[in-house]
Amino acid sequence: MKKLLFCAAMMMLLGLQVLPVNAASAAQPLVRWSVYSAAAGNENALRAAVAALNTTLQNSEGVLAVYGGEDENGVMRYLEIYTDENAFNAAQNYANVKTAAAQALKLAQIHKTLAADAFNLQSKTTGTADKARMALLVIDPAQLDAYKKVLAKEMQSAVANEEGVLALLATTETARPNVFHLLELYADDNAYRAHIDGPYFQEYNKAVQTMVTDKVLIVNKPQAVTLSGKNLK
C-alpha cells in the first residue's frame, strides 16, 4: 500500500470539525479519538501527563479501553472506548479524571477530539502489543456496504486465527460515515509482517482496490500497549 507522509495524516485528522460525542448504538460501545501534540520542550512532560490520564480513564468504571500510540513526529492519538454514553459522561466528571485531563491540556499545544462510531472492535482478551499502526481510509460511498463486509470478515478472521494479531479496531467518522479510522495492535513487527503476508489481509487487499479512494498510513513508535482484558463488544 502506498505510504503517505505523516504530515498529511496530521492535517486530515486535526483539520476535521470537532463534534459532540456520538451516542453509541445498542450493539456497539461509544468511542472517540483524542489527539495531542506538545510545544517544543514539553514533549516528555506531555507524554507522561497523557499516560497518566489514559491510565486513570482505563481504571474508571464503564471505560473498556484506551489504546493508541505516538508517531515519529510526536503526535499522540488514542482511541477511547466506553460502554455507552452514560459511562462516557460519568468518566469525564470523575475528579481524578478531570485533574489528569487538566494537566494534559495544560501541556498540549494541540488537543483535538473526533466523534466516531464503532464499526467493528475485534480484540483478544490478553496480550501486549509492541507495534501499533493506524490508518485513515476514505471509501467510495457507492461501495460502502460492500467494503464493510470485506473489512469485517478480514478483522474477525485475523484476530481469531493469527496469534500475533492482538486487536483490529475500526471506527467511522460520525459526520462522514465513509471515512474509517483503524487502529491495529500487533505483538511485534514479525506478527505484523505475517499478517500482511497472510491469507486474510491478502484477500482483503485484493477486494478493496477500487473501494478505497484515499488513505493515510500512520506508523507509531514501539510502545507496549497492554490489552485491557475487557470485552469490547
Side-chain angles (χ1 to χ4, degrees):
M1 293 193 297
K2 182 180 178 181
K3 292 187 177 180
L4 304 179
L5 293 176
F6 166 76
C7 60
M10 180 71 175
M11 291 173 64
M12 291 179 72
L13 185 53
L14 297 186
L16 295 172
Q17 180 183 3
V18 179
L19 300 171
V21 172
N22 191 56
S25 70
Q28 293 284 12
L30 182 147
V31 297
R32 85 166 179 178
W33 288 89
S34 288
V35 183
Y36 307 84
S37 66
N42 281 344
E43 294 90 350
N44 288 336
L46 178 61
R47 192 176 295 117
V50 170
L53 170 59
N54 289 342
T55 298
T56 302
L57 270 176
Q58 193 152 277
N59 291 334
S60 300
E61 184 178 357
V63 181
L64 299 177
V66 183
Y67 297 147
E70 177 182 345
D71 72 18
E72 296 171 347
N73 294 303
V75 178
M76 293 170 272
R77 298 175 180 82
Y78 289 93
L79 176 61
E80 303 168 7
I81 307 173
Y82 303 84
T83 55
D84 54 30
E85 186 176 15
N86 289 335
F88 168 80
N89 290 331
Q92 303 310 305
N93 286 298
Y94 292 144
N96 57 347
V97 172
K98 292 172 73 172
T99 298
Q103 181 62 21
L105 295 180
K106 179 180 177 181
L107 294 165
Q109 183 180 44
I110 295 175
H111 174 242
K112 296 282 186 178
T113 59
L114 174 67
D117 296 305
F119 166 66
N120 201 309
L121 305 175
Q122 296 292 323
S123 179
K124 292 179 169 58
T125 55
T126 61
T128 298
D130 183 58
K131 192 174 188 71
R133 293 181 62 93
M134 299 177 186
L136 185 155
L137 304 177
V138 181
I139 308 305
D140 174 10
Q143 302 185 73
L144 183 57
D145 288 341
Y147 176 77
K148 287 181 175 180
K149 292 178 182 178
V150 173
L151 177 61
K153 179 182 178 182
E154 188 266 349
M155 292 174 63
Q156 292 163 4
S157 298
V159 173
N161 298 303
E162 295 180 2
E163 182 178 358
V165 180
L166 301 185
L168 297 176
L169 311 173
T171 70
T172 57
E173 292 185 12
T174 300
R176 301 187 297 174
N178 68 312
V179 179
F180 285 71
H181 293 261
L182 310 182
L183 171 59
E184 307 168 3
L185 298 178
Y186 301 96
D188 52 30
D189 190 62
N190 289 335
Y192 163 70
R193 296 187 183 281
H195 170 68
I196 293 300
D197 293 336
Y200 306 119
F201 179 80
Q202 289 297 318
E203 180 183 0
Y204 160 86
N205 198 40
K206 181 178 179 180
V208 304
Q209 291 299 308
T210 66
M211 300 178 186
V212 179
T213 61
D214 198 5
K215 58 190 170 187
V216 176
L217 306 181
I218 301 168
V219 179
N220 291 299
K221 299 176 183 178
Q223 177 183 342
V225 180
T226 301
L227 299 184
S228 68
K230 300 176 183 177
N231 184 1
L232 303 186
K233 300 176 183 180

